[in-house]
Amino acid sequence: MNKNKNSFLFKDISSLKGVGKITKAYLEKKRIEKVKDLLCDLPHSIIDRSKISKIKELEIGKIATLKVKVSKYNFPRIRNLPNKVICSDNDNKINIIFFNSFEGYIRKVLPIGKDVIISGKIHYYKKNYQITNPTYIKLAEQKEELTKIFPKYSLTEGLNEKIYRSLIHNVINNISHDYDWYKKDFLKKNNFNRLKTTLNNLHNPVKKIDIFSNDYRRLAYDEILANLLVLLSSRKSVRSATKSKKKYQDKFSKILLNNFSYNLTNDQKLVLKSLDQDLKSEKRMFRLLQGDVGSGKTVLAFLAAANVIESGYQVAFMAPTEILANQHFDQAKKLFSSINIKIEILTGNTSSKNKKKIKLGLADGSIKLLIGTHSLFQKKIDFSNLGFIIIDEQHKFGVNQRVRLAKKGGDNCDILSMSATPIPRTMMLSIFGDMDLSILKEKPKNRKNIITLLKPENKISEIWPLIKKQLSEDKQVFWVCPLIDDSKKLNYSSAIKKFEIIKKKFPNDSGLLHGSLDNQEKDKILVKFLKKEIKILVSTTVIEVGINFPDANIIVIENSNKFGLSQLHQLRGRVGRGIHESYCIMLYKNNLSQNAKKRLKILRKTNDGFLIADEDLKIRGHGDILGFQQSGIKDFRFADPIHHKDLFLLAEKQIKNMNIKDFKNYEDLINFYDRVNLVNDIAN
């Protein structure tokens, strides 16, 4: 593999000849800090100089290559004015403009009466075509020396295209031909080139880069495998130690089940069985419970918590927001009312006096279940015998945070994470590959389907009677807009403008919620809505995840075509949580495209979040599907879960057949794709 010979790839970019302080600063603006970062910056297009254009065929703003005769010089004697050379092909003229070029140089490269090949960007000034500071100039007899196709990169101001290409060319030339992290038979079997050949082909393309080409697929596969290796390291770190088995007789969980007014679904029973097996095992639970909106995840988490408490351990339940933590606290008090255990809540707003009491209760073991936000895992919060951590809305936390959380709990602590965001399988693998997975698709039988309606905005008057009727029956309404304020550029409805309109129609029933409010203000408004002091809540998408308002049975979403399908499904899930018929009304502009209508109709046809997530991925791509940064892991640069699905499956297969000792063979791969810091975080 010649690792040492190629260690220069991981050195600072300033180690390259020709990269001084100024160039380094420009490169760092492009996030190029190490030598290998240059290689990951693929050209976005190509410049084809093989076609010789006629002046009369030129397109303004396009790069063109011309064969012209040099006719006349114009060297002004006034400083700072540009030099001009007039050239022609037959009866058509073009001006070649030079700034900061000496007269002697221009006479040398563009001799009068000679035919020359000139390439550059075409401009139009004072009724004449012109090229300013042409990229290439060659005498016509030197035509064969003119490179035909050039890669085009996205460069910041201050970076020269020619020098940038030269840097990349020199780096590739210095890579050993036999340097790779894969064996020859693996490369041959999967039709991959060696790393040097792959990079050389991608940086010297004969046509625009194709994500289906073997060379591009090779980089995509590298990136996927690097990601899965980090998750494998996480999995190994969490499960390296054995734990004491949790011992219980299901006494507490059976009491809770007897208090339910409904039966568990088949999916819930299967998941509960998996949780039971994990808790009673010597291997630590590190499981993700992924369930669609309203599938009953929280109930299962509390049933598992009851078993852990029965076995003599404490439980911590972490929610992403204070209002969600309060809802879980209220639900827990009701569920556990027939079991004599102490439950407390800890958030950023907990008073110092109560914090002291909670700390004492955790230390002496009297508090069995603690619910809260990130405050639960401050350094000063110590549990006497923590045996189970439940994390709600797992997508808020990255792989390194998951591992730190696991270590906080100690070797005997099991971890259950929950997410209501359906994610396609290929993305699940790349984000949560370090965790076991349980999926809840079936919804409780007492839940009614939400009626989804599509309406053009010019028929908004038709929905006012429905809203008025629901308010008279003591129901509540969400009204969601994409923006806070009006936008001149985008024809979206703003939350503030809509709030003013609704306030006039329903003066004593309206409230406004948006992301510019601080957390305390948001929580105050949401509590008012929960207490039904507000009947219509006009909001941006901050109400998207997790919060339960059982009396909200209508959600109106303006400019619905501007949202992704998964996000619309999450918003729709804010209603339909009680026993009443619920409605999701999606408003759209009159000039909606057929494709946009087709997307919205998918939501009208199905309430299956997993099916919707797959459709969303096909339509929007992996960059937007989740609506959040891939926690703790940089977004994929090359890999695409739709177009490279087979590569994800191939990487999964390779990981399964890999011994942990093989991990060392891929250290350069992990470093090449910027995953090394994550591995170090996990190891420490």
Side-chain angles (χ1 to χ4, degrees):
M1 191 180 281
N2 292 332
K3 278 191 177 185
N4 295 334
K5 197 173 178 181
N6 296 281
S7 60
F8 77 95
L9 289 172
F10 307 108
K11 289 182 178 178
D12 190 273
I13 193 68
S14 59
S15 64
L16 288 180
K17 187 179 178 181
V19 178
K21 283 185 179 179
I22 295 172
T23 305
K24 182 185 177 182
Y26 286 134
L27 289 168
E28 284 177 345
K29 283 184 179 179
K30 276 177 59 67
R31 296 185 179 179
I32 292 173
E33 297 171 356
K34 295 179 182 177
V35 174
K36 58 93 186 170
D37 294 336
L38 277 171
L39 304 177
C40 291
D41 182 37
L42 300 184
H44 64 79
S45 60
I46 59 167
I47 301 169
D48 187 353
R49 302 188 196 278
S50 60
K51 182 190 174 188
I52 303 294
S53 301
K54 296 286 185 183
I55 293 174
K56 64 181 180 181
E57 300 169 344
L58 295 179
E59 291 182 53
I60 298 166
K62 296 287 181 70
I63 292 170
T65 304
L66 309 168
K67 182 182 177 183
V68 292
K69 188 181 287 293
V70 182
S71 307
K72 184 180 177 183
Y73 298 135
N74 184 347
F75 298 126
R77 298 307 165 199
I78 302 170
R79 287 185 67 185
N80 299 326
L81 285 179
N83 293 316
K84 180 166 70 174
V85 181
I86 301 165
C87 300
S88 62
D89 63 357
N90 299 324
D91 297 327
N92 299 297
K93 293 181 180 180
I94 187 167
N95 296 329
I96 312 301
I97 307 297
F98 292 89
F99 285 91
N100 305 317
S101 289
F102 293 109
E103 186 178 319
Y105 164 77
I106 294 171
R107 288 181 184 276
K108 183 181 177 182
V109 296
L110 291 172
I112 291 285
K114 288 284 187 180
D115 287 332
V116 293
I117 306 263
I118 297 178
S119 185
K121 195 171 187 177
I122 305 301
H123 300 280
Y124 198 74
Y125 181 69
K126 290 186 176 179
K127 298 183 179 180
N128 284 302
Y129 288 110
Q130 70 177 37
I131 295 176
T132 303
N133 292 337
T135 315
Y136 283 92
I137 304 172
K138 292 280 182 185
L139 292 173
E141 62 250 33
Q142 298 174 316
K143 180 182 175 184
E144 295 308 314
E145 295 178 26
L146 186 70
T147 306
K148 300 289 192 296
I149 296 173
F150 287 90
K152 184 78 176 168
Y153 297 89
S154 298
L155 299 182
T156 57
E157 190 178 346
L159 287 175
N160 178 287
E161 187 92 39
K162 197 172 180 180
I163 293 171
Y164 192 76
R165 284 196 291 262
S166 177
L167 285 174
I168 292 172
H169 177 75
N170 291 338
V171 172
I172 293 173
N173 278 352
N174 281 311
I175 299 172
S176 303
H177 179 72
D178 59 348
Y179 173 65
D180 218 305
W181 28 79
Y182 304 124
K183 293 179 180 177
K184 287 182 182 178
D185 58 344
F186 178 83
L187 293 170
K188 187 177 179 181
K189 184 180 177 182
N190 292 288
N191 208 17
F192 291 152
N193 286 318
R194 282 196 168 276
L195 185 65
K196 180 170 183 169
T197 305
T198 295
L199 293 168
N200 190 58
N201 290 345
L202 289 169
H203 284 282
N204 296 283
V206 294
K207 59 181 181 179
K208 189 176 178 181
I209 288 175
D210 178 6
I211 67 167
F212 299 106
S213 70
N214 289 341
D215 291 310
Y216 191 94
R217 280 169 56 82
R218 156 72 206 258
L219 288 195
Y221 183 75
D222 283 358
E223 188 176 35
I224 295 163
L225 188 64
N227 208 61
L228 294 189
L229 284 166
V230 171
L231 295 173
L232 179 68
S233 177
S234 167
R235 195 179 187 94
K236 175 180 174 286
S237 174
V238 171
R239 301 183 183 205
S240 56
T242 57
K243 69 171 174 73
S244 299
K245 297 178 181 179
K246 306 282 192 300
K247 295 177 181 178
Y248 50 88
Q249 302 299 319
D250 300 330
K251 180 184 171 184
F252 284 1
S253 59
K254 282 175 181 174
I255 293 172
L256 263 61
L257 278 168
N258 288 334
N259 291 336
F260 290 175
S261 58
Y262 55 87
N263 295 321
L264 295 182
T265 64
N266 290 328
D267 273 6
Q268 285 177 313
K269 288 173 184 175
L270 288 171
V271 170
L272 195 58
K273 188 177 179 181
S274 298
L275 299 179
D276 204 43
Q277 288 170 346
D278 284 353
L279 293 172
K280 290 181 176 179
S281 166
E282 287 183 348
K283 294 292 180 185
R284 297 179 67 189
M285 179 197 295
F286 201 43
R287 184 173 291 275
L288 173 67
L289 172 53
Q290 191 189 16
D292 204 351
V293 177
S295 58
K297 299 178 297 297
T298 309
V299 162
L300 293 180
F302 281 135
L303 288 170
N307 287 331
V308 172
I309 292 165
E310 186 188 336
S311 67
Y313 289 92
Q314 294 166 300
V315 177
F317 191 126
M318 184 164 71
T321 63
E322 190 162 328
I323 188 162
L324 202 50
N326 276 301
Q327 285 204 338
H328 287 319
F329 180 57
D330 291 338
Q331 187 179 0
K333 283 192 294 185
K334 289 175 186 174
L335 279 176
F336 286 88
S337 59
S338 49
I339 302 170
N340 189 24
I341 61 165
K342 192 172 182 181
I343 304 171
E344 287 291 349
I345 183 168
L346 179 66
T347 69
N349 283 327
T350 304
S351 67
S352 299
K353 186 179 177 182
N354 282 339
K355 269 185 186 174
K356 281 184 181 179
K357 285 181 181 179
I358 289 169
K359 284 179 187 177
L360 288 172
L362 292 174
D364 65 23
S366 60
I367 295 175
K368 300 300 181 186
L369 173 58
L370 181 64
I371 296 170
T373 54
H374 291 76
S375 307
L376 300 190
F377 294 100
Q378 293 171 353
K379 287 182 180 179
K380 294 178 182 178
I381 305 297
D382 291 314
F383 292 79
S384 167
N385 192 20
L386 183 61
F388 193 32
I389 296 171
I390 303 163
I391 311 166
D392 197 12
E393 293 308 328
Q394 169 62 54
H395 66 255
K396 305 284 185 184
F397 310 100
V399 58
N400 43 6
Q401 289 170 300
R402 297 200 289 266
V403 172
R404 286 172 191 165
L405 204 56
K407 289 177 179 177
K408 173 85 175 176
D411 288 342
N412 286 328
C413 189
D414 292 298
I415 295 183
L416 174 67
S417 298
M418 302 189 294
S419 175
T421 306
I423 302 170
R425 173 172 163 70
T426 45
M427 296 198 70
M428 283 297 305
L429 185 66
S430 61
I431 301 171
F432 299 122
D434 55 333
M435 308 179 81
D436 290 320
L437 177 64
S438 291
I439 294 178
L440 277 178
K441 285 192 174 182
E442 190 181 359
K443 294 183 182 178
K445 290 182 174 60
N446 63 334
R447 287 280 169 90
K448 290 191 176 182
N449 272 338
I450 301 163
I451 298 167
T452 303
L453 305 172
L454 303 180
K455 276 197 177 291
E457 275 192 5
N458 61 0
K459 294 188 178 179
I460 194 171
S461 58
E462 293 179 8
I463 68 172
W464 295 123
L466 175 63
I467 289 172
K468 194 172 182 181
K469 182 176 182 293
Q470 297 300 318
L471 294 183
S472 70
E473 294 174 2
D474 209 24
K475 305 296 188 305
Q476 292 173 286
V477 178
F478 285 114
W479 196 296
V480 180
C481 305
L483 299 179
I484 298 168
D485 297 302
D486 276 329
S487 168
K488 291 177 182 176
K489 292 182 181 179
L490 300 172
N491 189 20
Y492 296 2
S493 297
S494 76
I496 290 173
K497 184 178 178 182
K498 187 56 64 178
F499 173 65
E500 294 301 326
I501 292 169
I502 290 174
K503 195 177 177 183
K504 287 177 182 176
K505 288 183 175 291
F506 307 98
N508 301 316
D509 296 318
S510 307
L512 176 64
L513 180 71
H514 54 74
S516 293
L517 298 172
D518 62 40
N519 288 334
Q520 282 190 338
E521 282 297 314
K522 284 180 194 171
D523 284 348
K524 279 181 186 175
I525 292 165
L526 288 170
V527 167
K528 280 185 177 181
F529 192 60
L530 196 61
K531 290 180 178 178
K532 300 174 82 169
E533 292 171 18
I534 294 172
K535 294 288 186 69
I536 302 179
L537 185 60
V538 181
S539 169
T540 54
T541 57
V542 291
I543 53 98
E544 187 178 335
V545 176
I547 306 165
N548 186 23
F549 298 96
D551 289 312
N553 72 321
I554 293 183
I555 183 165
V556 180
I557 305 170
E558 295 213 29
N559 296 102
S560 54
N561 53 297
K562 300 296 180 185
F563 295 94
L565 295 182
S566 290
Q567 193 177 25
L568 286 170
H569 180 64
Q570 289 290 306
L571 288 167
R572 177 168 60 181
R574 296 310 95 221
V575 298
R577 293 183 165 237
I579 57 172
H580 305 290
E581 196 95 80
S582 295
Y583 302 87
C584 175
I585 302 168
M586 298 186 190
L587 299 175
Y588 59 87
K589 297 291 181 187
N590 296 332
N591 56 350
L592 206 59
S593 68
Q594 288 301 312
N595 187 47
K597 284 181 183 177
K598 184 180 175 183
R599 289 173 61 242
L600 292 178
K601 283 176 182 176
I602 292 168
L603 285 153
R604 194 171 65 184
K605 287 178 183 177
T606 181
N607 277 294
D608 184 339
F610 293 92
L611 177 62
I612 289 166
D614 280 329
E615 291 296 325
D616 205 9
L617 184 61
K618 289 173 189 174
I619 293 165
R620 305 175 77 209
H622 72 279
D624 297 322
I625 182 82
L626 301 178
F628 53 83
Q629 290 291 318
Q630 290 184 2
S631 315
I633 299 174
K634 291 182 181 179
D635 288 335
F636 283 120
R637 195 167 187 168
F638 307 114
D640 185 291
I642 285 290
H643 299 117
H644 301 132
K645 187 175 180 179
D646 62 316
L647 299 181
F648 279 87
L649 298 175
L650 177 63
E652 183 181 21
K653 184 180 177 182
Q654 188 177 352
I655 285 285
K656 282 180 179 175
N657 295 329
M658 195 181 290
N659 191 302
I660 201 68
K661 291 177 183 177
D662 299 332
F663 199 86
K664 285 189 176 180
N665 296 332
Y666 297 96
E667 285 174 352
D668 278 6
L669 168 66
I670 291 165
N671 201 354
F672 198 86
Y673 289 93
D674 293 320
R675 274 23 180 206
V676 72
N677 290 335
L678 280 174
V679 175
N680 291 338
D681 276 352
I682 288 163
N684 293 329

